[in-house]
Amino acid sequence: VPVTEQRTKPDGFESDEEAMVAAVELVGRTGARHFQFGFLDENAPIDKARWYAHAEYRGTRIIAEDHVGPVEAAEALAARLLHGGMCKGCGKVIAINDDPVPIPEVLIDGTRVDPEEAKRRGLCRWFREGVRWMRGCGEDAPAGSTRERLARAMAEAGVPGVAIRDARLGYYDEYMGPLPFPISTLVADLEKNGFPELAARARAGEFNATKQESDAWAASEEGRATFAEFVGSALTGAKRAEDKPTAENAGADATFAVVDETHRLVDETRRRRPWRSNQKKSRKKRK
Ligand SMILES: [Zn+2]
């Protein structure tokens, strides 16, 4: 998006560059044709200058005005664009802060929203990570992969976004995940959190790795065939989780770098937010 009216900052004026970049990037992602920010009062002190930001779309513009600085204006604009929008990753209503979330009647593309369905699905809590706004439910895993199928089924069932994100990262994946018994853990997590129907589907094998995924895993393992013990465990189908990369062979296989990164992201996610239900949160809010 073209951005206009950048202004030199006066001495001592601090602004969060990352928040600004993230807001501009977000506006670009929403298909805006132009993004502009500036202030109205030329002679006022910087925080009283009434900063605004606006995004221009075909036929409409979204404005955030009367803010104390450009970042505040840009963040408010991001909130107007996201908060109460619909997340493409999970079909939930997006929340980016703790303000009440209005359930939209109609989406930007004209689709009508069923409020009951929106309530059942719950909220997707987006968050800003550095220069980018991230979905609460994670970025899409490869189309057709077991973990993406699981994520979509979870979204359909109204499972909280943070658990959908874990699924996308491969947390419950039989080959990529860090768990010794991924499907049993998935079944237990779903039951514990009130999703018995989806738990039954998982128990019936719907989210077991596909033949293709197991072949791909076997192929990547062949690259490590010099390690006799790994070949042994591959042939017997023994636990993959124990084959975690060590300092010596890290980098030998790019697959394991991805797996490593997955474990790190999952750990991080777990530390940040426990898997809690949407329902509890919204009940508390209503009080
Ligand atoms: Zn989402």
Side-chain angles (χ1 to χ4, degrees):
V1 242
V3 179
T4 51
E5 229 175 318
Q6 181 87 49
R7 187 202 196 208
T8 341
K9 292 186 263 328
D11 284 349
F13 183 76
E14 284 182 24
S15 87
D16 182 345
E17 303 285 344
E18 290 193 335
M20 194 68 194
V21 173
V24 173
E25 193 269 346
L26 175 75
V27 170
R29 253 196 282 167
T30 59
R33 307 165 78 192
H34 196 83
F35 173 72
Q36 183 176 44
F37 69 93
F39 54 88
L40 297 177
D41 294 342
E42 196 71 44
N43 302 315
I46 195 79
D47 62 336
K48 299 262 164 31
R50 298 166 62 209
W51 290 84
Y52 66 85
H54 80 233
E56 220 173 282
Y57 297 84
R58 205 173 290 277
T60 183
R61 59 161 56 169
I62 309 279
I63 308 172
E65 51 192 347
D66 275 333
H67 291 279
V68 297
V71 172
E72 286 77 4
E75 292 250 271
L77 183 67
R80 290 210 48 196
L81 292 169
L82 279 184
H83 202 70
M86 191 66 74
C87 178
K88 284 205 177 107
C90 61
K92 296 172 190 278
V93 174
I94 301 169
I96 69 163
N97 51 43
D98 287 333
D99 293 346
V101 184
I103 292 176
E105 278 175 28
V106 183
L107 299 180
I108 293 175
D109 67 3
T111 319
R112 295 200 71 83
V113 176
D114 171 359
E116 285 311 307
E117 174 65 5
K119 265 184 229 152
R120 186 185 70 80
R121 286 209 176 207
L123 300 176
C124 184
R125 299 193 164 269
W126 284 42
F127 56 97
R128 186 170 63 77
E129 207 167 78
V131 296
R132 196 173 158 90
W133 280 97
M134 311 286 284
R135 289 173 181 173
C137 60
E139 297 301 305
D140 283 4
S145 63
T146 301
R147 53 204 169 103
E148 185 59 22
R149 273 196 307 113
L150 171 60
R152 293 284 159 183
M154 283 174 142
E156 192 74 49
V159 167
V162 64
I164 298 173
R165 182 167 188 252
D166 283 358
R168 286 203 161 109
L169 288 169
Y171 183 68
Y172 298 108
D173 189 282
E174 287 194 285
Y175 290 95
M176 288 184 69
L179 301 168
F181 303 105
I183 299 298
S184 314
T185 308
L186 172 62
V187 170
D189 283 353
L190 289 169
E191 277 175 347
K192 199 161 62 194
N193 287 280
F195 302 96
E197 282 165 28
L198 192 55
R201 284 166 60 186
R203 192 184 286 111
E206 191 174 328
F207 306 111
N208 292 7
T210 60
K211 170 85 167 62
Q212 203 183 7
E213 283 163 340
S214 100
D215 288 351
W217 174 78
S220 78
E221 194 70 355
E222 264 166 25
R224 292 148 51 92
T226 42
F227 299 93
E229 70 265 46
F230 290 130
V231 175
S233 65
L235 290 176
T236 57
K239 245 5 264 175
R240 279 79 54 178
E242 284 136 31
D243 297 354
K244 278 190 190 145
T246 63
E248 301 88 70
N249 62 27
D253 186 339
T255 308
F256 284 89
V258 173
V259 171
D260 235 11
E261 176 65 3
T262 300
H263 294 176
R264 193 188 64 73
L265 287 172
V266 169
D267 280 353
E268 208 175 73
T269 308
R270 306 238 137 210
R271 266 198 305 280
R272 196 168 51 230
R273 284 173 291 190
W275 181 358
R276 54 167 158 58
S277 79
N278 306 305
Q279 286 82 1
K280 250 181 240 154
K281 181 86 188 176
S282 51
R283 214 176 290 140
K284 217 191 308 168
K285 285 228 85 106
R286 232 172 281 139
K287 270 271 147 195

